[in-house]
Amino acid sequence: MEDWLYTGDFTEASPGIIYTSNQSGLFSLDTGTMKLENVDTEGLSDNSFIQKYFRDDAGTEWLGTTYGLYEKKRGQRAYIWHDLSKLPDGNETSNEITYFVNHPGLGFWILTNNGLFSYSYSTGNIDRQTYDPEQGHILASQDINSLYADDNGIVWVGKWGGGLSRYDTGTRQIRTYTMADWLPSMGIQYILKDSENNDLWMSTFDGISRFDIDTEQFVNYTMENGLHSQLFSDGSGLKTSDGLFIFGGSNGITFFRPSDVARSSPPPRMHFTDLEINDVSHPFDNGVFNADNITLAYNQNTISIDYTGIHYSNPARNRFSYILENYDTGWRDVGLQRTAYYPNLPPGNYVFRVKAANSNGVWNEDGISMRILINPPWWRTIWAYLLYGLLFAGAVYVIDRSQRRRLVRKERERAREKELAQAKEIEKAYHDLGKAHQNLEAAHANLKAAQGQLVQQEKLASLGQLTAGIAHEIKNPLNFVNNFSEVSLELVEEAREEIRQMTGDRGRGNSPISSVPGASESGMAGSSPEAALILEILADIETNLRKIHEHGSRADGIVKSMLQHSRGGSGKMEPTDLNGLVKEYVNLAFHGMRAGKESISVDIDLQLDETIGEVPLVSEDFSRVILNLCNNAFDAMRSLSNMSDSSVPKGYQPKLAIRTKQEPGKVVLEIEDNGPGIPDHIKDKIMQPFFTTKKGTHGTGLGLSITHDIVKAQGGDISIKTIENERTVFTITLPE
């Protein structure tokens, strides 16, 4: 017996005859005589080590060796070798056969270190299973340790490092269970079935596990439950005829009857142990806080909650999951962690829930909970918001009433002053001229109507908006005022001419004016105070009419600008050559200025970035922006050139610089002049409608307002940088 260094599996070959093997070959043991004899294994390779002997339902003998599979049918003398490494996806370890498992009526299974093989009684073929994705699911590990074949076509496969797999031989689908499903180890050594309870019992690298096939739940047993060891041997298991389950391990054997093992596995009991608020610990056993309801101030919003689950069977493997309702979006599976940390929680109502599972994966679904209220600061309470609302509403009301009263008073005073001044002038002319006053009475009524419309226009201008319809309605009476003032001027000139003629006819004695009291023979113009007075009144009327015509013309220009402003840009944005558009309309503005009455010499400096391509613009609208800004720059530099005081730099030469440049995601256009600049106190107002710094009838105050609206409509932005008496830069930013 000195050569027996290793003994393979024991198999009952026939009644009273036990087959076993070692490094020397296959042996038979007669249990009656206890005689050990060598069994003839003709056909085996010399380097084949027999690990398993198996006799199938047809009486064929099979040998599983480290060098392949050997077969000997009834009546044959020698074994025939089957090289499993030649089958699909095989290699040398596919010939390392560890076990045979009979599948009654169908065949048997061959377990190897690289692949699961099946032998069919009906076809006599050996096929590899669970390796080809095109034929069905595959096993993640092909190192097969153990197998149990159910009568319903389901095969339970235990793998080295691959967990437990349920293989449906009909559909070729596989469902694998791992440690995430509470399997104690990924190495399954042996599988036995408890048919009465429909359970699988498995020995593993870390204890014994019971698997409920119906509920798919694992219950695990360790040395704390009475096992002799945690590590069990592969292929070492037995179910006796009287229902005793036996597993061999590193420290002997473990045997039991499944019916004697309790099936229940109670979950852990849960408790809160500590609450940390801003890193200050408050154990729940000191009575400071009630674990059911916690109320905190707004600045106590960084909390840490400690909890535990009490279970006396392997408590170190209890697992936890928690959620903070109204904050977390779902349960957090934190494994063995026993602390929940929440920093900087916003004020609100929360419910903290935690549940635990024992080492068998049985959860305490009810768990425990804690209500947490974090109060807001006083300035974020509902009373504070009500106070804010009242203060805001009061401020708005006071400002609105004040503005309304101021505007109404101002407009009334302005209208009253204008009406009184015009009424006095008309009344004086009426008393002095008599019948001439009647001829001008209608004009006075029309002027009052126009004046009322202008007052309304100024009121609307204070709000910053006028519609195109109102502008059209104002324009018709303005035309009448201007035309009638021109006709009245002609009438005044005709009246003056009549007086001159009367003065000349006085010497011939046939003039109607000769009846004027006080007239002398020497000439009316020179000798009659009444004629001189009439001429003086006519001169005053002419002056008034010219003022009326002058301001009527300015109002007409304002209406035209209002119409242009109200129309805005409605064209379609199209890719436009920005540099070309700038060149064209800068030149147009320059030549227009040079052709005017008050032209000046200006140096034009075009600094255009040639890398700029086409920019999406409404070109007909954007051209007005270029013209408006250039014309304003010309006007500003003209005003500085015309100054005679010391504020004008010596050797001053007007200069207009236009720059374009490319920046990430945008295009920039700058228009810079070296004029007098814009005072800080009006810089924020110049974009408002009807605001102008130009004197007299020059300007309507709508140019920069139109420019601002066009740039905004293009999706851009406009800004102003200015230094008084040095320069002004208008910067337009457009998206690419």
Side-chain angles (χ1 to χ4, degrees), residues 414-427:
R414 183 183 302 176
R416 187 180 301 111
E417 290 174 359
K418 290 183 178 180
E419 289 176 358
L420 289 174
Q422 292 176 1
K424 287 179 180 180
E425 292 176 0
I426 295 173
E427 184 179 3

Side-chain angles (χ1 to χ4, degrees), residues 208-509:
I208 291 177
S209 180
R210 183 185 68 206
F211 177 68
D212 189 323
I213 297 175
D214 298 326
T215 64
E216 297 186 303
Q217 295 291 319
F218 289 92
V219 176
N220 303 315
Y221 302 92
T222 65
M223 294 178 68
E224 296 178 0
N225 301 107
L227 299 183
H228 294 292
S229 67
Q230 297 282 103
L231 179 62
F232 286 84
S233 303
D234 56 334
S236 179
L238 175 67
K239 178 181 179 181
T240 65
S241 58
D242 60 351
L244 190 66
F245 282 25
I246 304 174
F247 293 104
S250 61
N251 193 25
I253 64 172
T254 298
F255 58 90
F256 57 89
R257 297 184 188 277
S259 58
D260 296 337
V261 181
R263 297 183 57 81
S264 62
S265 181
R269 289 181 296 163
M270 301 293 299
H271 295 281
F272 290 116
T273 59
D274 188 71
L275 173 66
E276 283 192 9
I277 303 173
N278 296 338
D279 297 328
V280 177
S281 176
H282 300 279
F284 283 107
D285 58 3
N286 64 6
V288 176
F289 287 103
N290 182 354
D292 295 329
N293 292 281
I294 305 294
T295 301
L296 303 174
Y298 73 94
N299 56 356
Q300 295 178 309
N301 59 344
T302 296
I303 63 174
S304 177
I305 304 171
D306 292 349
Y307 49 83
T308 188
I310 299 176
H311 191 274
Y312 297 104
S313 177
N314 202 2
R317 297 185 65 176
N318 291 345
R319 294 179 62 177
F320 300 90
S321 181
Y322 63 76
I323 184 174
L324 184 62
E325 294 179 356
N326 295 332
Y327 186 80
D328 289 329
T329 58
W331 285 87
R332 300 188 186 187
D333 189 354
V334 294
L336 306 179
Q337 180 179 318
R338 287 171 166 78
T339 299
Y341 178 70
Y342 290 98
N344 299 321
L345 286 173
N349 281 291
Y350 305 97
V351 177
F352 179 75
R353 300 184 186 277
V354 61
K355 58 185 181 179
N358 61 23
S359 59
N360 295 321
V362 179
W363 286 94
N364 183 340
E365 294 294 344
D366 294 336
I368 54 176
S369 63
M370 174 193 305
R371 292 189 175 275
I372 302 172
L373 171 62
I374 300 179
N375 289 317
W378 69 264
W379 61 84
R380 290 182 57 187
T381 62
I382 186 171
W383 298 109
Y385 287 126
L386 288 175
L387 178 61
Y388 301 154
L390 290 174
L391 291 175
F392 179 77
V396 170
Y397 177 77
V398 171
I399 293 172
D400 178 70
R401 298 299 298 175
S402 175
Q403 287 290 99
R404 285 177 181 271
R405 285 195 297 269
R406 186 181 66 82
L407 291 174
V408 170
R409 183 172 60 252
K410 185 176 180 180
E411 293 301 328
R412 284 178 178 174
E413 290 175 357
R414 183 183 302 176
R416 187 180 301 111
E417 290 174 359
K418 290 183 178 180
E419 289 176 358
L420 289 174
Q422 292 176 1
K424 287 179 180 180
E425 292 176 0
I426 295 173
E427 184 179 3
K428 181 180 178 182
Y430 175 78
H431 289 296
D432 291 344
L433 293 176
K435 195 171 183 178
H437 172 72
Q438 295 178 358
N439 295 333
L440 293 175
E441 191 174 10
H444 173 68
N446 290 329
L447 287 174
K448 286 189 67 177
Q451 186 264 342
Q453 291 176 343
L454 287 173
V455 170
Q456 180 64 20
Q457 172 185 328
E458 291 176 359
K459 290 180 180 179
L460 293 175
S462 69
L463 298 175
Q465 291 183 335
L466 283 175
T467 62
I470 296 175
H472 280 293
E473 291 299 325
I474 294 175
K475 185 171 178 61
N476 293 331
L478 278 177
N479 290 337
F480 174 76
V481 170
N482 292 334
N483 294 338
F484 191 80
S485 63
E486 293 175 358
V487 172
S488 298
L489 286 171
E490 293 176 1
L491 290 175
V492 169
E493 184 61 33
E494 290 176 4
R496 185 183 289 116
E497 186 63 29
E498 285 294 326
I499 293 174
R500 292 195 186 100
Q501 290 178 5
M502 290 177 187
T503 303
D505 292 342
R506 161 69 184 74
R508 295 189 291 272

Side-chain angles (χ1 to χ4, degrees), residues 562-591:
M562 286 162 54
L563 287 171
Q564 186 181 34
H565 185 253
S566 64
R567 285 196 302 268
S570 59
K572 180 180 180 182
M573 295 183 68
E574 296 180 348
T576 303
D577 182 0
L578 179 62
N579 288 340
L581 190 69
V582 169
K583 289 179 183 177
E584 178 182 354
Y585 284 93
V586 168
N587 288 332
L588 181 61
F590 174 74
H591 291 299

Side-chain angles (χ1 to χ4, degrees), residues 89 113-116 128-133 136-144 157-167 173-178 186:
D89 206 31
N113 288 335
N114 182 33
L116 176 64
R128 183 165 185 176
Q129 304 285 334
T130 67
Y131 79 98
D132 187 358
H137 293 176
I138 64 174
L139 292 173
S141 171
Q142 294 291 320
D143 190 348
I144 313 300
V157 184
K159 303 175 293 301
W160 176 285
L164 174 69
S165 293
R166 178 188 183 276
Y167 174 44
Q173 291 185 339
I174 295 175
R175 161 76 163 98
T176 298
Y177 302 88
T178 65
M186 293 296 286

